[in-house]
């Protein structure tokens, strides 16, 4: 799916909240890496404003409409939503809402549930 998207002129968009956002940054434009990729940065959901604030914002859907313009989807883009647990409101809503704009996928850690 990602290969086909890039072949058709799309880009890979990566989104995560808190520590999951760091994975999005790691895939974005690195020497020898995948160039047509974009990490989606949404300040209230990032760690540099404070981990506790980021964690609270990840669970709060009251500002979800403010977040959509950060994605700038085009017709052939792919979105990967990165979420450790896959249970907080914002990543789930972004994942479900992306169907309106682009192809999508999610990454969740099954190991997290097995360890608990």
């Amino acid at each position: 799916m990602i290969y086909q998207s890039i072949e058709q002129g799309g880009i890979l968009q990566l989104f995560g909240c808190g520590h999951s956002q760091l994975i999005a940054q790691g895939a974005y434009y690195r020497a020898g890496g995948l160039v047509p990729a974009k990490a989606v940065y949404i300040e209230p959901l990032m760690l540099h404003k404070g981990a506790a604030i980021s964690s609270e914002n990840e669970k709060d859907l009251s500002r979800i409409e403010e977040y959509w313009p950060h994605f700038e989807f085009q017709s052939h883009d792919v979105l990967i939503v990165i979420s450790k647990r896959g249970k907080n409101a914002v990543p789930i809503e972004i994942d479900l809402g992306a169907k309106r704009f682009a192809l999508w996928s999610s990454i969740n850690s099954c190991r997290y549930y097995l360890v608990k």
Side-chain angles (χ1 to χ4, degrees):
M1 176 176 12
I2 295 170
Y3 173 80
Q4 290 171 339
S5 168
I6 292 169
E7 281 289 307
Q8 295 173 357
I11 63 169
L12 173 62
Q13 295 198 41
L14 301 116
F15 170 75
C17 300
H19 286 93
S20 295
Q21 216 282 323
L22 298 173
I23 297 169
Q25 290 179 26
Y28 173 67
Y29 202 79
R30 299 178 67 129
L34 184 65
V35 175
K38 173 189 171 194
V40 179
Y41 299 104
I42 301 174
E43 292 265 337
L45 303 173
M46 296 174 68
L47 291 174
H48 71 281
K49 296 291 186 178
I53 293 169
S54 171
S55 182
E56 287 301 313
N57 289 338
E58 183 178 6
K59 298 169 189 159
D60 180 11
L61 286 179
S62 67
R63 296 176 59 192
I64 193 73
E65 291 304 318
E66 295 174 35
Y67 301 153
W68 286 115
H70 293 272
F71 291 93
E72 301 173 348
F73 291 127
Q74 302 300 315
S75 62
H76 296 293
D77 290 355
V78 172
L79 171 67
I80 296 179
V81 176
I82 305 156
S83 175
K84 178 180 177 186
R85 295 181 215 154
K87 71 175 194 171
N88 287 331
V90 170
I92 290 171
E93 184 64 24
I94 295 296
D95 187 49
L96 294 173
K99 291 178 184 177
R100 296 182 296 182
F101 303 105
L103 302 171
W104 61 275
S105 180
S106 288
I107 298 176
N108 297 296
S109 173
C110 295
R111 182 162 171 73
Y112 179 84
Y113 295 105
L114 297 174
V115 171
K116 288 196 152 218

